[in-house]
Amino acid sequence: MGAVAGPEIERLVQLLARLPGLGPRSARRAALHLIKKREALMMPLSSALQVALDKVQVCKTCGNIDTQNPCTVCTDPKRDPAIIVVVADVADLWALERANATQGRYHVLGATLSPLDGVGPQDLTIDALVARAHAPEVHEIILALNATVDGQTTAHYITDLLQDANVKVTRLAHGVPVGGELDYLDEGTLSAAMRQRTLF
């Protein structure tokens, strides 16, 4: 099939297709929708992208992304400086914030250790985390990392490095999700839930 649109539109489709969750067909639909809604959607989106390009930066304290540095979370006086929640990625930080799960501060590692993918300790912000953990006001480090092999490897590695810091190191509970039915859960989730059972 030949090209149905000019190279400018094809480039827009190709760029949209690089976004997570958008394949070639979805990207074409999104591009067509943007073009149809040029005034109401495409122009404001273009402006917002330019502002983000100019103003968004990585927080020098925690690794969050924001338009100010240090970020909004780090400068919030209502946050508890005694707690640092360690996450692999900014998306995880945003997920915890959506859930209003903690009033602590954060530390974004940038990824998890993954020898197969060539990601080692030097590629993460672990040294900065260890330095923050030694601050006198910090009492707890919560490892909010994925329950994957790489996530748990990273958690164990960090725990070993924090042994000489005067902090409690905890991790998220693993087990039965809210609304979950036992019959549909995998064996690993069930055994973790049984090991980490709590008083009713």
Side-chain angles (χ1 to χ4, degrees), residues 9-186:
I9 295 174
E10 286 300 323
R11 175 148 172 74
L12 175 61
V13 171
Q14 288 168 5
L15 288 170
L16 288 170
R18 291 186 190 175
L19 294 172
L22 283 185
R25 289 177 65 186
S26 299
R28 286 201 177 281
R29 283 198 297 273
L32 193 55
H33 186 73
L34 285 169
I35 291 165
K36 284 181 179 176
K37 305 276 184 185
R38 245 182 306 206
E39 298 290 327
L41 196 55
M42 193 179 227
M43 288 173 67
L45 177 62
S46 172
S47 174
L49 286 170
Q50 188 59 53
V51 169
L53 185 63
D54 294 340
K55 296 193 174 179
V56 169
Q57 51 192 313
V58 176
C59 175
K60 63 186 177 193
T61 305
C62 75
N64 187 18
I65 55 172
D66 203 341
T67 53
Q68 65 180 55
N69 201 344
C71 73
T72 307
V73 175
C74 286
T75 55
D76 183 352
K78 295 191 291 293
R79 296 279 171 169
D80 186 354
I83 299 170
I84 296 177
V85 182
V86 180
V87 294
D89 193 73
V90 173
D92 302 327
L93 186 159
W94 288 4
L96 289 169
E97 284 299 290
R98 275 197 313 274
N100 200 21
T102 179
Q103 278 301 302
R105 304 236 168 119
Y106 289 95
H107 188 88
V108 180
L109 295 174
T112 50
L113 295 173
S114 181
L116 291 176
D117 297 322
V119 180
Q122 70 283 352
D123 300 309
L124 309 181
T125 59
I126 293 175
D127 290 345
L129 170 63
V130 173
R132 289 181 73 191
H134 280 82
E137 69 272 12
V138 177
H139 299 302
E140 183 179 6
I141 303 291
I142 302 173
L143 299 174
L145 300 170
N146 291 332
T148 59
V149 171
D150 289 347
Q152 295 313 294
T153 301
T154 307
H156 287 295
Y157 182 82
I158 290 170
T159 302
D160 288 344
L161 291 178
L162 293 177
Q163 285 192 343
D164 66 335
N166 189 26
V167 293
K168 177 170 70 169
V169 181
T170 59
R171 67 174 189 173
L172 298 184
H174 299 154
V176 180
V178 174
E181 296 182 33
L182 298 186
D183 190 36
Y184 292 100
L185 299 177
D186 64 275

